[in-house]
Amino acid sequence: MFDEDGLEVNEAWVNGVRIAYDLIGEGEPVVLLGGTGMPIFWWDAGNVRSALVSAGYQVLAFAARGVAPSEAPAPPYNVDDLAADAGALCEHLGLRDCRFVGVSLGGFTVEVLARARPDLVRAGVFIGSAGPTTEFTRMLTRAQRDLFAAVGTLPDSSLLVETLRTAVPSHVLQDDAPQVTEWIELLALPTWRHRDGLHGQLAAVWDWFDEDQRMALLARIAAPCLVIAFEHDLYFPPRGGRQATDVLPNGEFLEIFQAGHAGIITHADMCTKAMLDFFGRF
């Protein structure tokens, strides 16, 4: 099996879904869970995987259900589904006592997994994902649902603009045309083989934002957790990340400045250093 960048990856059947994955390095396992539509190769945009491998970890990255080249079963999906897939894949590969890193939707998945399968989760890192929903997030979710109800999907142009608006700070969109062009080219790469994957993952995100007990449920996570928030993240601003950290029984917080929701790519070196420092203690 090959991913959308033409790189060969492995595949496993878990929970009746074919999941594409890549397992590299040797040592204690680190599992990387990407955001909505995030393919495996994006972890290499800032050399995150290579840095973890160089530090002596075995690194598992995979395309969640719905993201090419993994299978896209019929929607809707929910975060429990995604967490069950992640846990089953770890079991299939014989991985235990893992450190998990989740970005955005991947962070939601780590939250659920840390509660449901504490035997698998040694420590968790939530990147651009932890905290209460904001008024902007609720309005954006409402707009997406209204558009979906009207036309039966979300047009590519709408998804692109929304991702650009939230991924990078506004000053980049205003003044850095070359970087905006690079982002457009990156986001134009196909990660959805068909719309079922997109619709399924969006349903998981929307349901997660609607869950009233999310913040209270953080108190049930016993594993050490690091919350990384980005200064200009419109989805999960630092204020919310601090609130999440206060609820977590064993939580730590880091704010990375001059970054938007896509800080794992634009500020990958800072994120990776924070992960390694954290993992070194847990």
Side-chain angles (χ1 to χ4, degrees):
M1 177 186 288
F2 294 87
D3 70 8
E4 300 305 301
D5 203 34
L7 301 177
E8 188 170 6
V9 293
N10 303 295
E11 63 178 10
W13 284 89
V14 298
N15 299 326
V17 180
R18 189 181 70 253
I19 299 293
Y21 72 91
D22 195 21
L23 183 64
I24 58 175
E26 297 183 4
E28 296 176 348
V30 174
V31 183
L32 305 177
L33 292 89
T36 308
M38 182 171 168
I40 294 172
F41 70 85
W42 275 25
W43 290 106
D44 298 322
N47 298 315
V48 175
R49 287 202 297 173
S50 60
L52 290 167
V53 170
S54 296
Y57 293 103
Q58 184 181 44
V59 181
L60 170 64
F62 65 96
R65 67 165 66 194
V67 179
S70 290
E71 192 175 26
Y77 316 153
N78 58 51
V79 178
D80 287 346
D81 295 330
L82 302 178
D85 291 347
L89 180 59
C90 288
E91 289 184 327
H92 173 79
L93 297 173
L95 302 180
R96 292 287 189 277
D97 199 30
C98 305
R99 297 168 172 90
F100 284 83
V101 178
V103 174
S104 195
L105 176 57
F108 311 160
T109 307
V110 176
E111 283 189 34
V112 172
L113 197 61
R115 292 195 302 269
R117 295 296 308 273
D119 57 310
L120 291 178
V121 182
R122 176 173 179 171
V125 178
F126 307 134
I127 301 178
S129 67
T133 54
T134 64
E135 188 60 33
F136 170 78
T137 304
R138 289 188 290 272
M139 188 66 227
L140 179 60
T141 300
R142 192 178 312 140
Q144 288 180 335
R145 283 176 157 162
D146 288 347
L147 181 58
F148 185 86
V151 302
T153 189
L154 295 186
D156 290 344
S157 58
S158 173
L159 290 168
L160 177 59
V161 169
E162 177 190 315
T163 304
L164 279 173
R165 177 176 54 187
T166 57
V168 295
S170 59
H171 70 269
V172 174
L173 299 177
Q174 291 172 321
D175 300 322
D176 193 339
Q179 189 174 157
V180 172
T181 299
E182 289 179 8
W183 272 103
I184 292 173
E185 292 173 351
L186 177 64
L187 294 170
L189 293 173
T191 57
W192 312 107
R193 280 191 171 162
H194 47 75
R195 304 308 268 187
D196 278 355
L198 167 64
H199 299 163
Q201 288 216 331
L202 286 175
V205 172
W206 294 339
D207 285 350
W208 184 259
F209 285 159
D210 281 346
E211 172 55 63
D212 293 334
Q213 300 300 312
R214 286 190 306 106
M215 291 295 289
L217 290 172
L218 289 172
R220 299 184 185 178
I221 297 177
C225 295
L226 172 64
V227 175
I228 298 179
F230 303 117
E231 180 183 13
H232 300 296
D233 190 340
L234 296 177
Y235 287 125
F236 293 96
R239 172 184 52 79
R242 291 188 180 91
Q243 290 178 274
T245 306
D246 289 341
V247 176
L248 287 161
N250 196 3
E252 300 182 15
F253 176 79
L254 173 68
E255 178 177 353
I256 294 179
F257 297 94
Q258 297 299 311
H261 190 60
I264 185 60
I265 295 175
T266 61
H267 292 66
D269 54 342
M270 296 181 185
C271 293
T272 304
K273 181 181 184 303
M275 290 180 219
L276 291 174
D277 290 346
F278 178 70
F279 290 159
R281 292 182 283 111
F282 299 101

